[in-house]
Amino acid sequence: MKIDIIGDIHGCKVEFIELLKALGYISDAGVYRHPNGRKLGLVGDLTDRGPDSIGVVRMVSQLVENGNAYYVPGNHCNKLYRFLLGNKVQQTHGLETTVAELDALSTKDQQCFRTKFISLYENAPLYQVLDNKRLIIAHAGLKKEFIGQQGNKVKTFVLYGDITGEFHPNGMPIRRDWAQSYDGDAWIVYGHTPVREVRVVNKTANIDTGAVFGGKLSALRYPEMETVSVESSMPFVKEKFRELWD
Ligand SMILES: [Mn+2]
C-alpha cells in the first residue's frame, strides 16, 4: 500500500491544503483524493492553537468517510472529545481556541460539528496497523511490546508518549525517548513531540515538525520513506522544540 502520513496539523488548514497539493492530491469541490489511489494517514492532534481547527476536522472527517484517510487520535483530540461529551476539562493548551471557533458557529453548526467529531473519534482505533503489519501509525508512538495490545496503558502511551509523571523545570512533562530502544520490524510513524526535521531512529519516524509553532507541516511517503514538507505561516516558538532547549 502507498500512504502519505501527515503529522500534527493543530488547525493549520492552509498548510494542510498546501501539503496535500504538494503530495499530488487533487480537489474535487474540496474533497481531496490522489489520482494514483494513495491514501492519507493522520497521526492526530488535528485541532487547538492554529487558526482553523474546525475546518481541519471537517476535512479529515470527510477524507475518512470517503475511505481516503486513516486517522488515529492524539491527546488534543481526546481532550476535545471529552469536552464535547460535556465533561469538565480545562480550556488551556490550545483547546480555548477551538472552543472559541465553536462558540462563533450557529447552534445547528455546533451540533453538526459535535456529531462529526464524536463519530470520527469513536470510530478511530488507538493506533492503526497497516500494510500487513509492516507499518503502524500512532500519535505519540508505540513500544514493541504494546503492538497488538489495547487497554489503558497503551492508550496513555499512544496519546501522551513515554511519560514519567515528572516535569522539566519549565513545566513541560518529561518524555522518555522510547524510539532509541525500539527494535521492532514494523515501522512506527508518529508525531506529538515537535522536531525541526523528520527524525528517523531505528524503524521509527517522528513526523511532527511543529507546524503550529512556526516549523513545517510534514508528510512521510510510505513505502518510499521520502519527506515532503511545507513551511508554516505561524510565528516561530523556539521553546516548543526540545532539541533547541539550552
Ligand atoms: Mn500531541
Side-chain angles (χ1 to χ4, degrees):
M1 84 179 293
K2 294 191 174 190
I3 178 164
D4 301 314
I5 309 145
I6 297 180
D8 311 37
I9 304 170
H10 281 299
C12 294
K13 186 180 160 190
V14 169
E15 288 82 350
F16 183 35
I17 290 175
E18 204 187 319
L19 182 56
L20 290 179
K21 288 179 180 165
L23 290 164
Y25 288 76
I26 47 171
S27 161
D28 187 359
V31 182
Y32 283 84
R33 61 176 187 84
H34 199 281
N36 301 341
R38 298 183 72 94
K39 304 288 181 195
L40 289 165
L42 298 152
V43 299
D45 282 4
L46 305 177
T47 63
D48 297 354
R49 298 193 175 108
D52 194 354
S53 291
I54 287 181
V56 172
V57 169
R58 285 179 176 150
M59 280 182 71
V60 170
S61 174
Q62 186 160 47
L63 283 160
V64 171
E65 271 174 32
N66 294 348
N68 286 323
Y70 298 95
Y71 157 80
V72 291
N75 52 310
H76 288 260
C77 307
N78 170 267
K79 198 175 179 190
L80 177 60
Y81 173 68
R82 289 184 284 122
F83 171 80
L84 292 172
L85 289 183
N87 296 5
K88 239 188 152 50
V89 295
Q90 281 192 359
Q91 289 180 33
T92 53
H93 301 293
L95 179 61
E96 69 282 6
T97 70
T98 303
V99 173
E101 283 184 45
L102 259 178
D103 286 343
L105 297 180
S106 69
T107 310
K108 184 166 161 271
D109 287 348
Q110 286 180 16
Q111 278 310 321
C112 178
F113 175 84
R114 183 176 180 273
T115 308
K116 234 184 231 319
F117 185 81
I118 287 176
S119 161
L120 176 70
Y121 186 91
E122 290 184 346
N123 287 305
L126 288 179
Y127 54 92
Q128 291 268 8
V129 182
L130 301 164
D131 197 27
N132 276 319
K133 304 186 180 177
R134 286 189 283 258
L135 170 67
I136 292 168
I137 65 170
H139 176 62
L142 198 65
K143 278 186 181 176
K144 188 169 86 170
E145 58 263 41
F146 288 158
I147 297 174
Q149 310 272 320
Q150 302 289 325
N152 282 334
K153 259 176 90 171
V154 179
K155 185 175 175 182
T156 301
F157 194 96
V158 300
L159 291 181
Y160 302 99
D162 202 356
I163 50 172
T164 63
E166 293 165 308
F167 294 85
H168 291 286
N170 66 4
M172 301 273 275
I174 292 176
R175 295 173 188 169
R176 289 192 204 95
D177 193 5
W178 62 275
Q180 294 291 351
S181 52
Y182 178 75
D183 62 353
D185 293 324
W187 273 99
I188 311 273
V189 181
Y190 68 105
H192 186 56
T193 301
V195 282
R196 294 293 283 141
E197 302 291 338
V198 167
R199 175 177 176 264
V200 176
V201 175
N202 300 317
K203 285 184 95 176
T204 76
N206 178 357
I207 57 167
D208 179 8
T209 45
V212 82
F213 300 122
K216 299 182 276 197
L217 186 65
S218 296
L220 184 73
R221 310 199 88 170
Y222 175 95
E224 299 89 343
M225 304 309 275
E226 292 162 4
T227 299
V228 178
S229 302
V230 298
E231 292 297 324
S232 163
S233 61
M234 302 290 288
F236 186 65
V237 188
K238 185 186 170 198
E239 57 269 27
K240 292 295 179 181
F241 296 84
R242 284 161 193 253
E243 70 219 274
L244 302 181
W245 290 359
D246 307 311

